[in-house]
């Protein structure tokens, strides 16, 4: 069985898994990192959105071999200890979540967007394709704008 | 209509208590106890206690509204145990308040609202209150079902009485220790304050306040704060679990660490209800990496593996011979024909007056909660433990126990916070299936439904057909008839039992009549339209259905709001003015006026854009919705703006209420414009969000305002969870009609099969 070494939320990990095993199951079932959620497994719902080397990816369709030597960040690794990331703060201020199941993915997508685009336009925000079945989209939009202004 | 009488009667019942008797709250009464425990614990019976059986009505006036069922003293009298079904509140030595909630949280904000009620009555910070979801408690009988927008309505009184009793006990304890009168003490931030600034925290008092034996408390000791003194209830408050959610710590069923529980997925039949005949390549699949077991169950063939990825690969590799399903060969056309045939006839002849006739079709709709059906089950020889997001855990427990051949008390059912529901989690399909797999595989399992399966084999809102006829003359609507046909909705999740358990007193027999009763008592017209009749016919097809947020109202009232616009046009009136003149009460008109004013009703918009308005009232709450739509491309319409006003009588958490309205709006955008299921040869075609077209950010308005109307003097909270959908359906359809110059009759309006269906 091939071995894969990469970092998850700043900690180095090594797992035995076939090269094509989706990273989502390596994270959730082998490493117990359960912030990234399953919603479809085929890169449609984006509930699993996490970062690989700073880019937003959907680990349900990223083979674990692609993570080799890379840095994986999940929702659990976003805050700095007790200090939340400004996007998380904005999410609290706007009280975005309903059931919350999509929100780790929504937040990771928003962080990735703000990394590229300091002041995202409404069109930029529209391009976030993450599904929120509870329909919190308007609050997500407001929170992203708030986070952008907090990050100045 | 009969339902209105039942309400009136219930309102009038239950007067005249003496000061020491059961406390009266509105029309409901509660008994509160001090419970023997090491630290302070108090408990209140949920539901209602009629003053005495002799005062109970001899027969329940036909049929009660589901939202009022839990208010029926008769049900609990039949249950016969006045002290069963207690809500328990405890305060520990840190001063933390623990409250076990016999309901499910699925995003609707119930845990937050309940924590607010507790904090308010106890005068303690919200952060000190913990709300935990209760396991299945069979002694609660009919009082552990989360649905019908009924949770806050049924818990508002009992939760506050429990907390008020705890506060009174704390104050009495401090008074005794300080040798002063309780009246001279106050409580601030969980600290009892006495003359001269003496202070004692709840933490310091809780042991001394504890009860040595369980005793009933007098009404005086459980009197709640006057609502005019509320400083937290009614104030916009963020969710108590928001931080856990944004840090990824909030646990859903499959995030739980249950030792030894292995991932399991099920290969399902190519048509709904299909059966397993034989597995052709079991040995091959057993040999795949990580696969631990392959077991056939009633609903398909399960693969148990080390990871979900491996279980998924295993189930995809299975070759199974399937038996027939329950609706093989049936497709949308056939279903629509059956629905038309089952639609009860209109009776008012359209000959003497002007009339407006309209027929509508609504497609099947998946609940599609983002957390797909899932459960953890650990079945042993003599006991079983289940974890799942369950809105009717007692029925789940009963069914699973019967299935496993275990006594009910040997099955522990833990209720886990759910990732959305919209009606889906009233059923426990995953919990039952997980129990079967665990039993056969002799190990604990974590069962997850794939999204494709959740959308195709999970439950759905039944398709409906509608016929409406309104007659009018001299500026008045003289009659309004609405006939609905629906594929049978399965109510066998507990709500049905609540009614049928009392079948001797209720005019119901069998699911069909039950559905009729539910229809008649949840769907009502808010307008003075003369002779108004609404009837339901059901087509009994064996498909996995379940009520979907707002049950019959989304389609039924949505369609009516479209006809209201068409009536206004015929009678040459403005849609808002028209509604104003036919609505029945000032509070109804107030929400309509609010959206018309704030949404600048009638403002000029460019070609291809239009406004639309809708109104809805149910469960003692009312709302109006005004939207603007951009339908320059009728195939790609987008709601660009929404203004909503909502009046629930007494909002507990306006911020949570706004969230519910936002959710209802998004549901309406989705199901009115694009989201639905096509049935082809006995199976839905859609298998992903991209095929089902539930709205995403780029389908959602960039401008939304929700106005929560102030509390009404003396009012209790009305229902809120389902309220938002029907008015928004009407508003969006009306805006689309105006923008495109069409009369939409079939929903969703854009419903092409624009994808390649997944293989069966
Ligand atoms: S689970 Fe990864 S995109 Fe849906
Ligand atoms: S908050 Fe429930 S899916 Fe987004």
């Amino acid at each position: 069985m091939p071995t894969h070494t990469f970092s998850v939320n700043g900690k180095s990990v090594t797992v035995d898994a076939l090269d094509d095993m989706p990273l989502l199951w390596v994270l959730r079932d082998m490493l117990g990192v359960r912030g990234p959620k399953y919603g479809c497994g085929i890169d449609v719902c984006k509930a699993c959105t996490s970062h690989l080397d700073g880019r937003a990816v959907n680990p349900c369709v990223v083979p674990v071999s692609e993570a080799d030597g890379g840095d994986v960040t999940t929702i659990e690794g976003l805050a700095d200890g007790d200090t939340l990331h400004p996007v998380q703060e904005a999410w609290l201020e706007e009280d975005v979540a309903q059931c919350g199941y999509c929100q780790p993915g929504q937040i990771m997508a928003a962080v990735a967007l703000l990394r590229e685009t300091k002041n995202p336009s409404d069109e930029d925000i529209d391009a976030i394709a993450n599904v929120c079945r509870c329909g919190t989209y308007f609050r997500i939009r407001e929170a992203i704008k708030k986070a952008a202004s907090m990050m100045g | 209509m009969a339902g209105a009488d039942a309400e009136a009667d219930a309102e009038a019942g239950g007067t005249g208590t003496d000061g020491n008797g059961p406390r009266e709250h509105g029309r409901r009464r509660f008994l509160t106890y001090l419970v023997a425990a090491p630290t302070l614990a108090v408990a209140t019976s949920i539901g209602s206690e009629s003053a005495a059986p002799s005062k109970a009505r001899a027969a329940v006036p036909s049929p009660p509204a589901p939202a009022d069922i839990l208010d029926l003293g008769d049900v609990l009298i039949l249950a016969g145990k006045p002290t069963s079904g207690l809500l328990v509140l405890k305060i520990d030595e840190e001063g933390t308040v623990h409250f076990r909630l016999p309901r499910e949280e699925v995003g609707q904000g119930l845990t937050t609202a309940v924590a607010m009620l507790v904090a308010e009555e106890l005068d303690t910070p919200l952060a000190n209150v913990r709300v935990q979801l209760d396991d299945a408690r069979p002694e609660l009988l009919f009082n552990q079902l989360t649905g019908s927008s009924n949770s806050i309505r049924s818990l508002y009184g009992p939760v506050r009485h429990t907390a008020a009793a705890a506060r009174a006990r704390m104050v009495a304890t401090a008074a005794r220790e300080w040798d002063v009168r309780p009246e001279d003490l106050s409580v601030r931030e969980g600290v009892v304050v006495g003359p001269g600034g003496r202070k004692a925290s709840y933490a310091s008092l809780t042991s001394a306040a504890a009860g040595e034996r369980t005793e009933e408390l007098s009404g005086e000791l459980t009197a709640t704060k006057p609502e005019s003194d509320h400083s937290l209830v009614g104030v916009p408050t963020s969710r108590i679990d928001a931080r856990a959610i944004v840090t990824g710590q909030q646990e859903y069923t499959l995030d739980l660490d249950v030792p030894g529980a292995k991932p399991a997925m099920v290969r399902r039949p190519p048509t709904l209800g299909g059966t397993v005949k034989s597995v052709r390549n079991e040995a091959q699949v057993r040999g795949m990496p990580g696969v631990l077991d392959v077991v056939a169950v009633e609903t398909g063939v399960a693969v148990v593996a080390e990871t979900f990825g491996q279980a998924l690969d295993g189930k995809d590799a299975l070759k199974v011979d399937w038996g027939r399903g329950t609706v093989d060969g049936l497709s949308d056309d056939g279903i629509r024909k059956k629905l038309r045939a089952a639609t009860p006839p209109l009776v008012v002849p359209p000959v003497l007056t002007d009339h407006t006739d309209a027929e509508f079709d609504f497609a099947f709709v998946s609940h599609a909660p983002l957390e797909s059906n899932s459960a953890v089950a650990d079945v042993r020889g003599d006991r079983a433990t289940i974890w799942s997001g369950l809105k009717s855990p007692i029925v789940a427990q009963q069914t699973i126990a019967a299935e496993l051949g275990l006594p009910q008390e040997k099955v522990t059912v833990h209720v886990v916070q759910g990732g959305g529901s919209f009606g889906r989690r009233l059923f426990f399909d995953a919990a039952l299936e997980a129990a079967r797999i665990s039993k056969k595989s002799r190990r604990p399992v974590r069962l997850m439904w794939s999204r494709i399966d959740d959308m195709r084999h999970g439950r759905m809102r039944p398709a409906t057909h509608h016929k409406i006829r309104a007659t009018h003359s001299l500026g008045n609507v003289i009659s309004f008839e609405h006939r609905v046909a629906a594929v049978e909705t399965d109510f066998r999740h507990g709500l049905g039992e609540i009614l049928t358990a009392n079948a001797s007193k209720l005019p119901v027999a069998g699911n069909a009549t039950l559905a009729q009763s539910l229809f008649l008592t949840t769907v009502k017209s808010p307008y003075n339209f003369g002779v108004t009749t609404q009837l339901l016919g059901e087509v009994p097809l064996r498909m996995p259905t379940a009520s979907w947020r707002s049950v019959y109202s989304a389609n039924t009232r949505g369609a009516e709001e479209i006809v209201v616009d068409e009536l206004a046009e015929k009678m040459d009136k403005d849609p808002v003015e028209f509604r104003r003149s036919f609505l029945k009460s000032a509070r109804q008109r107030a929400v309509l006026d609010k959206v018309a004013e704030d949404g600048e009703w009638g403002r000029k918009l460019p070609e291809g854009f239009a406004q639309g308005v809708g109104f809805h009232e149910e469960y003692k709450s009312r709302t109006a919705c005004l939207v603007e739509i951009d339908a320059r491309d009728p195939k790609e319409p987008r709601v660009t703006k929404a203004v909503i006003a909502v009046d629930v009588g007494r909002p507990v958490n306006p911020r949570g209420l706004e969230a519910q309205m936002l959710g209802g709006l998004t549901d309406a955008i989705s199901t009115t414009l694009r989201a639905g299921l096509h049935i082809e040869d006995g199976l839905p075609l859609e298998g992903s969000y991209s095929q089902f077209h539930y709205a995403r950010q780029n389908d959602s308005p960039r401008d939304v305002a929700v106005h929560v109307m102030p509390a009404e003097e003396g009012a209790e909270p009305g229902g809120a969870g389902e309220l938002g959908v029907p008015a928004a359906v009407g508003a969006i359809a009306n805006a689309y009609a105006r923008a495109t110059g069409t009369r939409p009759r079939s929903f969703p309006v854009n419903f092409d099969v624009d994808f390649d269906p997944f293989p069966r």
Side-chain angles (χ1 to χ4, degrees):
Chain A
M1 182 89 46
T3 297
H4 305 277
T5 301
F6 51 95
S7 95
V8 176
N9 299 328
K11 269 198 245 139
S12 174
V13 296
T14 299
V15 293
D16 293 334
L18 292 178
D19 287 351
D20 62 355
M21 179 180 278
L23 180 60
L24 181 63
W25 306 118
V26 172
L27 289 168
R28 287 189 55 90
D29 295 343
M30 301 178 78
L31 299 170
V33 177
R34 292 181 175 167
K37 303 293 184 238
Y38 168 90
C40 70
I42 53 169
D43 196 16
V44 165
C45 74
K46 318 287 180 188
C48 61
T49 307
S50 301
H51 295 173
L52 177 58
D53 298 327
R55 286 174 305 119
V57 295
N58 289 100
C60 66
V61 291
V62 172
V64 61
S65 56
E66 242 176 65
D68 278 335
D71 287 321
V72 175
T73 307
T74 69
I75 187 72
E76 289 97 330
L78 191 59
D80 181 6
D82 277 348
T83 311
L84 297 182
H85 187 281
V87 170
Q88 290 169 309
E89 285 291 354
W91 244 248
L92 293 184
E93 281 186 31
E94 294 297 322
D95 199 33
V96 172
Q98 289 188 31
C99 83
Y101 195 84
C102 74
Q103 301 298 347
Q106 302 280 6
I107 290 169
M108 296 308 279
V111 170
L113 170 66
L114 288 166
R115 210 168 265 159
E116 308 263 291
T117 314
K118 294 258 167 298
N119 267 309
S121 64
D122 274 317
E123 287 70 26
D124 294 328
I125 296 173
D126 275 353
I128 295 182
N130 294 49
V131 172
C132 175
R133 176 59 188 86
C134 298
T136 65
Y137 298 112
F138 182 65
R139 287 189 178 178
I140 290 173
R141 182 181 298 277
E142 298 282 283
I144 292 175
K145 291 178 181 171
K146 176 161 281 179
S149 71
M150 282 160 66
M151 293 162 78
Chain B
M1 192 180 71
D5 299 341
E7 264 167 27
D9 199 49
E11 303 272 15
T15 49
T17 50
D18 62 61
N20 290 324
R23 292 302 290 170
E24 183 183 350
H25 192 88
R27 62 185 183 275
R28 285 162 279 182
R29 300 137 190 275
F30 314 103
L31 297 173
T32 298
Y33 301 84
L34 177 66
V35 180
T39 59
L40 179 66
V42 286
T44 296
S45 60
I46 330 177
S48 56
E49 306 291 340
S50 278
S54 62
K55 275 201 181 178
R57 296 181 291 273
V60 179
S62 71
D68 277 330
I69 286 165
L70 301 184
D71 304 342
L72 284 179
D74 306 48
V75 172
L76 283 181
I77 288 167
L78 291 176
K81 289 186 197 159
T83 58
S84 73
L86 296 172
L87 281 178
V88 182
L89 179 153
K90 293 180 183 165
I91 301 181
D92 69 19
E93 277 162 340
E94 269 78 56
T96 305
V97 183
H98 300 270
F99 186 79
R100 292 190 71 96
L101 179 66
R103 291 288 185 277
E104 165 67 324
E105 169 69 46
V106 289
Q108 79 278 46
L110 182 59
T111 48
T112 301
V114 166
M116 289 170 71
L117 294 174
V118 168
E120 177 74 65
E121 287 299 330
L122 270 166
D123 289 309
T124 200
L126 184 62
N128 288 356
V129 181
R130 306 272 180 277
V131 177
Q132 216 190 334
L133 304 177
D134 228 335
D135 293 349
R137 289 171 56 193
E139 81 278 10
L140 290 172
L141 295 168
F142 301 130
N143 233 321
Q144 196 172 7
L145 183 132
T146 311
S148 304
S149 300
N150 190 51
S151 291
I152 282 294
R153 294 187 61 200
S154 58
L155 294 170
Y156 182 68
V159 167
R160 291 184 309 131
H161 281 276
T162 315
R167 181 188 188 278
R169 182 76 180 177
M170 287 295 190
V171 168
T173 305
R176 197 176 60 225
E177 288 188 358
W178 296 336
D179 198 18
V180 296
R181 296 182 316 158
E183 302 85 274
D184 296 334
L185 305 185
S186 61
V187 182
R188 253 175 269 140
E189 301 277 294
V191 177
V192 183
V193 182
R198 302 181 69 162
K199 287 183 179 164
S201 67
Y202 283 170
S204 70
L205 291 167
T206 190
S207 301
E212 279 168 15
R213 58 194 170 80
T214 297
E215 57 186 296
E216 192 185 323
L217 295 170
S218 76
E220 225 166 288
L221 292 174
T222 69
T224 54
K225 250 188 207 180
E227 278 145 343
S228 53
D229 288 356
H230 283 176
S231 60
L232 176 60
V233 171
V235 175
T237 302
S238 294
R239 292 183 65 96
I240 56 174
D241 50 10
R243 193 178 170 100
I245 289 171
V246 304
T247 53
Q249 303 303 314
Q250 179 65 44
E251 289 187 322
Y252 305 88
T253 297
L254 295 176
D255 301 332
L256 301 174
D257 256 320
V258 175
K262 295 295 183 189
M265 295 190 77
V266 172
R267 175 68 178 274
R268 293 177 202 283
T271 56
L272 294 170
T275 54
V276 182
K277 275 191 175 158
S278 62
V279 180
R280 273 188 267 146
N281 61 341
E282 185 177 330
Q284 180 208 332
V285 173
R286 281 184 180 276
M288 290 176 67
V291 171
L292 301 168
D293 206 355
V294 175
V295 295
V297 291
E298 283 78 345
T299 41
V301 181
V303 176
V304 185
E306 291 292 348
T307 68
F308 277 109
Q310 292 160 331
L312 189 60
D313 289 347
K315 81 141 181 138
D316 283 349
L318 279 171
K319 293 193 168 61
V320 185
D321 291 323
W322 301 100
R324 284 184 64 79
T326 49
V327 287
D328 286 11
L330 195 63
S331 298
D332 280 330
D333 280 353
I335 294 170
R336 219 158 284 140
K337 275 199 200 97
K338 286 181 195 290
L339 287 172
R340 276 166 209 267
T343 310
L346 297 164
V347 294
V348 177
V351 287
L352 298 178
T353 56
D354 283 337
H355 70 280
T356 297
D357 277 8
E359 295 194 30
F360 298 91
D361 288 296
F362 288 81
F364 287 90
V365 176
S366 172
H367 301 88
L370 200 56
E371 181 200 27
S372 62
N373 280 349
S374 54
V376 181
D378 184 357
V379 177
R380 307 289 167 109
D382 59 345
R383 72 199 134 94
T385 313
I386 309 287
W387 293 258
S388 191
L390 296 167
K391 294 175 104 186
S392 56
I394 300 173
V395 183
Q397 183 192 35
Q398 287 164 345
T399 310
I400 291 167
E403 172 81 18
L404 299 174
L406 289 173
Q408 193 176 338
E409 70 273 13
K410 293 293 182 192
V411 178
T412 304
V413 174
H414 299 297
V415 176
V416 186
Q417 190 157 329
S421 167
F422 320 103
R424 170 70 68 81
R425 289 181 218 282
L426 280 163
F427 285 93
F428 43 88
D429 302 311
L432 178 59
E433 192 176 62
R436 287 167 169 164
I437 298 167
S438 174
K439 182 176 178 174
K440 279 213 166 167
S441 189
R442 298 167 175 271
R443 74 181 89 225
V445 297
R446 305 162 60 210
L447 169 71
M448 181 175 87
W449 286 37
S450 73
R451 172 60 52 198
I452 300 176
D453 288 351
D454 193 271
M455 216 163 257
R456 286 181 160 175
H457 293 271
R459 288 165 186 273
M460 50 194 162
R461 181 175 82 185
T464 56
H465 179 72
H466 304 249
K467 265 192 202 144
I468 298 178
R469 172 174 296 159
T471 60
H472 45 96
S473 162
L474 303 173
N476 264 317
V477 181
I478 301 183
S479 68
F480 193 93
E481 291 176 282
H482 191 160
R483 302 290 177 265
V484 183
V487 171
E488 182 179 298
T489 308
D490 190 348
F491 287 111
R492 282 161 292 202
H493 48 54
L495 189 56
E497 281 80 351
I498 290 174
L499 283 167
T500 49
N502 297 285
S504 61
K505 297 204 169 184
L506 290 166
V508 292
N511 197 50
T513 321
L514 170 66
Q516 264 290 0
S517 308
L518 289 175
F519 175 82
L520 284 172
T521 54
T522 53
V523 176
K524 58 176 182 173
S525 168
Y527 301 106
N528 284 316
F529 281 165
V531 179
T532 301
T533 54
Q534 292 154 311
L535 281 180
L536 172 74
E538 279 207 318
V539 176
L541 292 173
R542 285 177 55 210
M543 300 174 77
T545 58
S547 49
W548 196 93
R549 194 179 203 168
S550 91
V551 199
Y552 296 108
S553 296
N555 302 0
T556 299
R557 287 283 306 116
E560 290 181 1
E561 286 299 303
I562 297 169
V563 172
V564 169
D565 256 37
E566 293 180 11
L567 272 174
E569 192 187 320
K570 269 216 172 149
M571 293 162 75
D572 212 16
K573 295 253 190 63
D574 168 80
V576 168
E577 255 326 295
F578 182 82
R579 282 179 175 78
R580 278 198 107 260
S581 56
F582 287 100
L583 282 172
K584 294 175 177 169
S585 77
R587 289 189 75 90
Q588 291 177 331
R589 285 187 287 276
V591 290
L592 183 64
D593 290 348
K594 183 77 191 170
V595 298
E597 187 196 322
D598 189 65
E600 299 173 68
W601 174 251
R603 82 188 183 103
K604 270 260 163 301
L605 291 170
E607 179 88 13
F609 289 76
Q611 292 181 317
V613 72
F615 175 89
H616 182 59
E617 177 170 76
E618 71 180 348
Y619 301 125
K620 310 261 195 289
S621 300
R622 52 213 68 81
T623 182
C625 176
L626 184 157
V627 300
E628 292 182 3
I629 203 165
D630 170 359
R632 283 172 298 177
D633 178 354
K635 284 281 173 201
E636 296 281 338
R638 179 168 183 179
V639 174
T640 54
K641 176 178 176 170
V643 181
I644 295 167
V646 55
D647 174 2
V648 296
R650 178 167 301 278
V652 173
N653 181 9
R655 203 163 201 202
L657 176 57
E658 283 175 24
Q660 286 298 291
M661 301 312 287
L662 186 59
L665 171 70
T666 316
D667 281 357
I669 290 171
S670 304
T671 56
T672 307
L673 298 177
R674 282 191 86 186
L677 298 177
H678 293 87
I679 309 297
E680 196 174 289
D681 188 12
L683 189 76
L685 290 183
E686 282 76 5
S688 83
Y689 288 106
S690 58
Q691 300 172 351
F692 176 59
H693 293 303
Y694 189 81
R696 303 203 195 204
Q697 187 65 270
N698 67 359
D699 303 303
S700 301
R702 294 174 182 174
D703 185 358
V704 181
V706 182
H707 300 283
V708 174
M709 304 302 268
E712 182 185 5
E713 181 78 31
E716 288 194 15
E722 305 174 277
L723 181 67
V725 186
V729 168
I732 294 161
N734 288 335
Y736 183 86
R738 202 162 297 124
T740 57
T742 59
R743 294 208 187 285
R745 288 291 183 263
S746 183
F747 297 96
V749 289
N750 290 313
F751 195 38
D752 300 332
V753 179
D754 54 358
F755 55 90
D756 289 327
F758 293 107
R760 295 186 177 219

